[in-house]
Amino acid sequence: MVSTVQILAVAGVVLLIPQLYRFINFIWLYFLRPSTVHEYLHHPPTYALITGASDGIGKAVARELYDKGFNLILHGRNEEKMRKVADEIRARGAHDVRYFLADASAPSHDFARMVEPYKDLNITLVFHNVGSSDFTKERIDEQNESYVLGIAQRNAIFPLLLTRALLPKLRLSARNGPVLVAFVGSQAGDISPPRFSVYAASKSFLIALTRGLDNDERVWGAPTGIRFEYLAVGQVQSNSLRVQASLSSPTSERFAKAVVAHLGCGWRRYAPWMPHAVMQWAMEFLGEKAVDMFTAQAIGQMLEEREKKD
Ligand SMILES: NC(=O)c1ccc[n+]([C@@H]2O[C@H](COP(=O)([O-])OP(=O)(O)OC[C@H]3O[C@@H](n4cnc5c(N)ncnc54)[C@H](OP(=O)(O)O)[C@@H]3O)[C@@H](O)[C@H]2O)c1
C-alpha cells in the first residue's frame, strides 16, 4: 500500500526535476559554455550587421564583434555620429566597416533598396539592436498617434521588415555555415510595466517572431541553417539609460562582452547577462501581482526623480 508520504515525496521529486534541469542549464550557460561566435566567421570576408550601432549596446557589440574578426555593416540615423563611430572602430584593425542610415521610427522604408548594397557580402550575423522607449507620464490616449506608432515601428516593425529583406541573402550565406539573427528584447516585454505598454508589446512581438521565424527556417522542410534568438535584457547603462553601473546594471561595454560570449548558444530566448537571468527567475517566483505592484512603485519613483531634476 502506497502511503501519503510516499505520494508526496514522488510529487516533490517530479516538481523539482524541471527546476533542477533549469539550474543545470544555468550553470552551463553562464559558467561553463565556451563562446562559439567564431563559428559565424566562415567563408571570409564575413560581415555582421548591427542596427542602432551609433551608441550604447549596439556600438559596444559592434566593437566587440570587430575585435573578434568580423567586418561590419552598421546602422544609425545620424550621419555625423555614425561616421565618427565607424572611424573609431576602423582604427582598431584592418576589417571593413560600412554603414547605412535610416530613421527606424519612420513609417515607411524601401527595405529591398536598403539592403541592395550588401547583396554580394557574406552576412552571417544580424544583431537587431535598434529600439527604445521614451519614459513619459502620459497614458497612450494622451500621446499622439504617430508617437505611439513610432515606438512600435522602431522596436518591432523595422527589425521585422529588415529581416524579411535580408532573408534570401542570409539563406545563401547559410549554405556555407551557420547564420544567426538576434533580436534585442527587454525584460519589459515580460512584465509590461505601466507607462511602457507599447514598448513592452513591441518587445513581446519579437519573442513570438523569433520562435516563428526559427521554426520556419529550422523545422519547416529542410533546415536552411539560419537560427533566431531573442535576448532578454534588463537594465544596462547606455546613452538612453544613464544609471550608475552595478552588477544588475552593467555598462554597455561589459554587457556587450556577455552578449558576444553567448551569441549562438542554442537557446532561443535567454538573458545574456547572468544577473538579469536571476532577476527573471525572481520575478517568476514572486508572481504577476507582486511584480506589477513593485514595478508601478519603481516607475513612480523614477518619474518623481526625473521631475525633480527637470
Ligand atoms: N539600456 C537598457 O537598460 C535596456 C534595457 C532593455 C532593453 N534595451 C534595449 O537595448 C537596445 C539598445 O538600447 P540602448 O540602451 O543601448 O540605447 P541607446 O544607448 O540610446 O542606443 C540606441 C541606438 O539606437 C539608435 N536609434 C534609436 N532610435 C533610432 C531610430 N528611430 N532610428 C535609427 N536609430 C535609432 C541610436 O541612435 P542615436 O545614436 O542617433 O541616438 C543608438 O545608436 C534597445 O533595443 C533597447 O530597447 C535596453
Side-chain angles (χ1 to χ4, degrees), residues 6 25 44 51 58 61 63 76 81 84 102 135 137 145 169 175 178 196 199 205 215 242 250 258 276 283:
Q6 283 171 322
N25 276 338
T51 67
V61 166
R63 273 203 296 239
K81 200 169 171 183
K84 252 186 167 169
F135 187 36
K137 224 174 159 176
E145 196 174 297
K169 163 79 229 127
R175 285 184 187 171
F196 285 96
Y199 173 70
F205 172 91
N215 284 334
R242 296 176 182 221
H276 291 165
M283 286 188 292

Side-chain angles (χ1 to χ4, degrees), residues 52-58 75-78 81 102-105 128-133 154-155 184-187 199 203 233-241 252:
S54 57
D55 220 322
I57 297 169
H75 156 258
R77 59 178 162 181
N78 177 321
K81 200 169 171 183
D103 177 0
S105 303
H128 284 293
N129 165 76
V130 74
S132 66
S133 172
R154 66 180 171 273
N155 288 292
V184 173
S186 169
Q187 278 181 347
Y199 173 70
K203 295 296 191 185
V233 180
Q235 272 202 350
V236 176
Q237 186 195 59
S238 70
N239 188 38
S240 58
L241 197 81
S252 290

Side-chain angles (χ1 to χ4, degrees), residues 139-141 143-153 198 202:
R139 293 169 198 267
I140 61 162
D141 52 314
Q143 299 162 345
N144 71 50
E145 196 174 297
S146 68
Y147 175 85
V148 174
L149 282 174
I151 302 174
Q153 200 74 39
V198 183
S202 307

